[in-house]
Amino acid sequence: MNITINHEKISERKTDSGENLLEIKNLKTYYPIKGGFFRRTLGHVKAVDNVSFEIKKGETFGLVGESGCGKSTTGRTILRLLDPTDGQIVFDGNDITNLTGAKLREARKDFQMVFQDPYASLNPMQMVGDIISEPIKNYYPRKKSKEIKTEVMDLLERVGLPSDAYYKYAHEFSGGQRQRIGIARALALKPKLIVADEPVSALDVSVQSQVLNLLKELQDDFDLTYLFIAHDLSVVKHMSDRIGVMYLGNLVEVADKHSIYDEPLHPYTQALISAIPEPDPDKKKERIVLQGDVPSPSNPPSGCPFHTRCPLAKEECSEIKPQLKEVKQNHRVACILYD
Amino acid sequence: MEVLTEKNTKQTPSKPPKSMSPWAIARRKFVRNKLAMVSSFFLLTVMIMSFLAPYITTIDITRVNIGQMSLPPSGEHWLGTDKSGRDVFVRLLYGGRVSLTVGIAATALIVVFGTVIGSIAGYFGGVVDSVLMRFTDFILNFPFLVFVIVLNAILFGKLSGVWVLIVVISVLGWGGVARLVRSKILSEKENEYILAAISIGCKPSKVIIKHLLPNVLSTIIVQATILFATMIVAESGLSYLGFGVPTEVPSWGNMLSTSRDPDVMQNMPWTWIPPAVVLTLTILSINFIGEGIKDALNPKSYR
Ligand SMILES: Nc1ncnc2c1ncn2[C@@H]1O[C@H](COP(=O)(O)OP(=O)(O)O)[C@@H](O)[C@H]1O
Ligand SMILES: [Mg+2]
């Protein structure tokens, strides 16, 4: 896939400080498996099983991994749309792990989400104007409706939608335009963090780069920090400053973009990188093909979650679960090979 | 880029014109459905005539007129008179008032109660869901007729006759709606727009009322039409058996129940054929309207 991105824009922007906007520590989110006559809990899908990372103010943190590895669950738990089973979420210096009710609602103002499915993420019964103004009305009930409308019109223009979209319904728009509506809704409260959960994976390839470029532009204009989720490494490469690689609910490697692509350390990351098609035919590289299937998150393997498919697995790998460790500067990996 | 221009809006005449809400589109489809429109017209006529009965006729419905007993239809009494000398046409109008009141009121109560219980159970899930659904199962498994007879006896004298029946039917009738709404909400809340609503700061009550209910309302409306027909039949059935509306109050069911007398059944068909016909046509038209609404609200059905 070819993505054209305004490269000047990216290099211009610098992550302004080393300050963390978000820190998550040992995050776990399990889904109960109910069954049997009394609908007892029979087990758990360990969708997120011990994930720790931090996102600095102003940066884009890319989260990659195969479908089903727990990326969406991680994103939703961070935004407290799901309740964490264990661990800690610190947003902008405040522990939001156990917030509930009105306090949680108040906190939500600062972190929003752009969803994966442009069809299911917009209420079919609402007009676009209502969809985008609803967050403002929720938090600023005394704001004059004229003022809100002006804001919404600005947002529409900002995300590249015509102003007459205000009175239309979502079903009248294409996937790409719907995604723009979703982006405008997420922006309405001027949040600090936006979790973008595979925001372009459901779109036509021709529209993908437009939406990605829009997200990039908005990041500068609105001083946004992104958690950018994707299963496609080339998309993540263009968007992210730092990247985290997930496998079966675990974060296996975290580093800045260049380290991940140029010298991946974890065998899983190496396999993923080797699978990216190389546009330059001279730079032939060897593709690492993984054996077997991803194990079930309801019954993950003992020890290292990747050992069942790892080409470099040793005997200890099935016994010891490696923890994420800094092995180079700003490069963390969870693998026994680097202990 | 995919910006809508004046031009490409006009190039697609097959699609509905721009800016129609899903409801407006459904309304248009419904209006084009002839059977549903004829049924609506019929039902509306029956309703208007029934509820305006006191303005249409000045004949006293309760007065027993000894001189005019058991008369066949004539110019003076369009549908004849019954054994007590009461005008059948007038009773039909007043009877419709009672039967339709029972149907509308019971349906409204059942839909409101069932929707509240079902949406709370479906949205919150967990313990709330378990408790509410146990309660619903209990109600659903209750022996209906026994309860009707007992409650009728308890409430008798405390509420006016017709309302006893409405309350009794409603108290026992909401279980099905609650189950249906719960299951609809359960599947609807999986959509990402619900997560979005929570994320933009909607309280649970707002998520349910503003986001979930409008999207399951089509199912509820269709269910309500079925219920409406069922409730009218229930009124007639119970009244026929003698457990419904008090006998002195005219209702279609009570009028039908006079045909239990073999003499009336055989020799005075003008007293029970009209309520039977009106009842049947009313039920049929409600069903056609329900089908029409279902088609109109189904995005996949194109006519
Ligand atoms: N509501 C749910 N109930 C049970 N299991 C779920 C639920 N949502 C996701 N899962 C499971 O959790 C795992 C991670 O899912 P998800 O976070 O959606 O992965 P990703 O976004 O990386 O594709 C998958 O195995 C998925 O089947
Ligand atoms: Mg996902």
Side-chain angles (χ1 to χ4, degrees), chain B residues 96-242:
Chain B
R97 203 148 91 127
V98 171
S99 294
L100 291 173
T101 303
V102 172
I104 292 170
T107 303
L109 286 174
I110 286 175
V111 165
V112 168
F113 203 59
T115 301
V116 169
I117 298 281
S119 51
I120 290 175
Y123 181 73
F124 290 99
V127 183
V128 178
D129 184 29
S130 303
V131 170
L132 288 177
M133 281 305 114
R134 283 298 131 76
F135 182 44
T136 306
D137 285 341
F138 172 74
I139 292 288
L140 276 172
N141 292 321
F142 219 86
F144 185 74
L145 212 55
V146 174
F147 192 74
V148 170
I149 296 164
V150 171
L151 248 193
N152 242 328
I154 296 173
L155 290 176
F156 192 78
K158 300 196 179 79
L159 280 171
S160 82
V162 176
W163 287 97
V164 177
L165 184 68
I166 291 172
V167 168
V168 170
I169 298 182
S170 307
V171 165
L172 284 179
W174 55 268
V177 175
R179 283 219 155 269
L180 178 80
V181 171
R182 171 184 174 270
S183 76
K184 276 279 155 191
I185 295 266
L186 273 182
S187 68
E188 195 65 31
K189 79 169 180 181
E190 290 303 314
N191 283 314
E192 284 180 337
Y193 73 83
I194 298 302
L195 286 180
I198 297 170
S199 181
I200 59 170
C202 295
K203 295 189 184 116
S205 57
K206 192 171 182 194
V207 177
I208 294 176
I209 293 167
K210 197 161 170 199
H211 294 278
L212 282 168
L213 286 183
N215 285 289
V216 301
L217 197 57
S218 58
T219 314
I220 298 176
I221 291 173
V222 171
Q223 187 64 19
T225 61
I226 298 170
L227 263 175
F228 183 33
T230 313
M231 289 306 126
I232 293 175
V233 173
E235 182 279 318
S236 303
L238 288 171
S239 299
Y240 187 88
L241 295 175

Side-chain angles (χ1 to χ4, degrees), chain A residues 76 105 108 112 115-117 120-121 123-124 126 134 138-139 168-169 171-172 174 177 185 207 210, chain B residues 1-2 4 18-22 25 191-193 195-196 198-203 206 211 214-215:
Chain A
R76 290 173 183 188
R105 259 198 309 283
R108 289 191 188 287
Q112 290 295 316
F115 293 90
Q116 176 173 6
D117 186 340
S121 59
N123 184 346
Q126 275 185 308
E134 191 171 7
N138 280 343
Y139 285 97
K168 289 182 178 172
Y169 289 83
H171 69 88
E172 299 169 56
S174 69
Q177 290 171 319
R185 171 178 61 194
V207 217
Q210 293 168 7
Chain B
M1 221 193 79
E2 9 102 55
L4 284 179
K18 292 292 162 187
S19 301
M20 281 182 85
S21 76
I25 294 170
N191 283 314
E192 284 180 337
Y193 73 83
L195 286 180
I198 297 170
S199 181
I200 59 170
C202 295
K203 295 189 184 116
K206 192 171 182 194
H211 294 278
N215 285 289

